[in-house]
């Protein structure tokens, strides 16, 4: 079994927080898509790094590269053609950035303090998992924040993708040496869900001329 580099894992993992922040706060939907793409490449890099401990993770890494880093960004890019600007969100950029930074700090600190409750691995992997779990829960909360505070349906889809990345990072961090981890990761890729959601959103935009979820909820059929 090849030695895993804690520095590499920590760097890739912590960069996921920055890409989450960019994906949520960017008002241009294509900029959000690029931030999501960067995060997808980071999680693929993490899976490749962990594959030194579990060769089955290579299959998940390749699958994630195709789904997260190619298909989903391509779907999002096509869905935002001609509609690149996000519908004005509930919270403006300044207050939203402050809330996000506060959430980042609180979630990361709280999770890192208590991550040991969930980790039962060797000392080397446990130290890595503590940081990764803190990042995973933080990314998950940022995705949830995007879903709850953004009015644009496409930004809601991006929030869903962040949720998925948070779950996948926690999964590979908690059980990196178990072969079934790769199967669970591949089985829970949401690429089909994202495609269907964007397809429906495209149809709604064509019919009603908007992807503002608040306006759509006021429509009477």
């Amino acid at each position: 079994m090849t030695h895993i580099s804690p520095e590499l894992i920590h760097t890739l993992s912590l960069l996921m927080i920055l890409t989450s922040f960019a994906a949520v706060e960017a008002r241009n939907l294509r900029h959000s898509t690029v931030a999501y793409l960067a995060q997808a490449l980071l999680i693929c890099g993490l899976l490749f790094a962990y594959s030194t401990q579990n060769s089955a993770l290579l299959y998940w890494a390749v699958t994630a590269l195709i789904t997260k880093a190619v298909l989903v960004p391509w779907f999002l890019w096509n869905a935002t053609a001609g509609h690149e600007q996000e519908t004005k969100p509930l919270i403006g950029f300044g207050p939203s950035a402050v809330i996000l930074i506060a959430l980042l700090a609180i979630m990361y600190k709280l999770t890192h303090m208590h991550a040991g409750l969930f980790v039962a691995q060797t000392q080397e992997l446990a130290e890595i998992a503590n940081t990764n779990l803190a990042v995973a829960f933080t990314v998950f909360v940022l995705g949830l924040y995007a879903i709850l505070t953004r009015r644009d349906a496409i930004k809601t889809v991006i929030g869903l993708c962040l949720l998925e990345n948070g779950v996948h990072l926690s999964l590979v961090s908690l059980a990196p040496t178990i072969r079934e981890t790769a199967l669970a990761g591949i089985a829970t890729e949401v690429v089909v869900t994202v495609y269907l959601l964007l397809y429906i959103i495209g149809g709604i935009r064509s019919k009603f001329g908007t992807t503002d979820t608040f306006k759509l909820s006021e429509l009477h059929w």
Side-chain angles (χ1 to χ4, degrees), residues 88-108:
K88 187 178 180 181
L90 288 176
I91 306 173
F93 177 78
S96 181
V98 172
I99 293 171
L100 268 188
I101 291 170
L103 274 176
L104 287 173
I106 293 169
M107 285 305 301
Y108 186 85

Side-chain angles (χ1 to χ4, degrees), residues 137-161:
F137 280 105
T138 305
V139 171
F140 185 90
V141 169
L142 293 184
L144 192 60
Y145 176 83
I147 291 172
L148 294 176
T149 64
R150 294 302 187 260
R151 297 171 57 177
D152 195 291
I154 291 180
K155 186 56 84 65
T156 303
V157 174
I158 292 174
L160 174 67
C161 293

Side-chain angles (χ1 to χ4, degrees), residues 46-207:
L46 281 163
L47 292 173
F48 277 116
Y50 270 114
S51 69
T52 60
Q53 306 292 307
N54 176 4
S55 60
L57 291 177
L58 274 176
Y59 297 107
W60 185 9
V62 172
T63 303
L65 186 64
I66 296 170
T67 57
K68 293 180 188 292
V70 177
L71 292 179
V72 170
W74 183 47
F75 295 156
L76 287 169
W77 195 266
N78 287 335
T80 54
H83 305 277
E84 299 177 12
Q85 202 60 34
E86 177 189 354
T87 303
K88 187 178 180 181
L90 288 176
I91 306 173
F93 177 78
S96 181
V98 172
I99 293 171
L100 268 188
I101 291 170
L103 274 176
L104 287 173
I106 293 169
M107 285 305 301
Y108 186 85
K109 188 173 179 61
L110 279 178
T111 315
H112 201 274
M113 285 173 58
H114 302 291
L117 297 173
F118 307 100
V119 177
Q121 301 176 23
T122 62
Q123 182 64 27
E124 180 189 30
L125 291 178
E127 291 177 1
I128 296 172
N130 284 346
T131 299
N132 280 358
L133 279 181
V135 172
F137 280 105
T138 305
V139 171
F140 185 90
V141 169
L142 293 184
L144 192 60
Y145 176 83
I147 291 172
L148 294 176
T149 64
R150 294 302 187 260
R151 297 171 57 177
D152 195 291
I154 291 180
K155 186 56 84 65
T156 303
V157 174
I158 292 174
L160 174 67
C161 293
L162 297 182
L163 284 179
E164 181 202 28
N165 285 346
V167 171
H168 282 172
L169 180 58
S170 63
L171 177 62
V172 73
S173 303
L174 286 170
T177 58
I178 300 174
R179 293 187 66 82
E180 286 75 11
T181 298
L183 180 61
I186 292 170
T188 53
E189 291 285 349
V190 298
V191 61
V192 176
T193 305
V194 169
Y195 174 78
L196 291 175
L197 282 174
L198 292 175
Y199 181 79
I200 293 169
I201 290 169
I204 290 173
R205 179 191 288 136
S206 298
K207 187 172 182 62

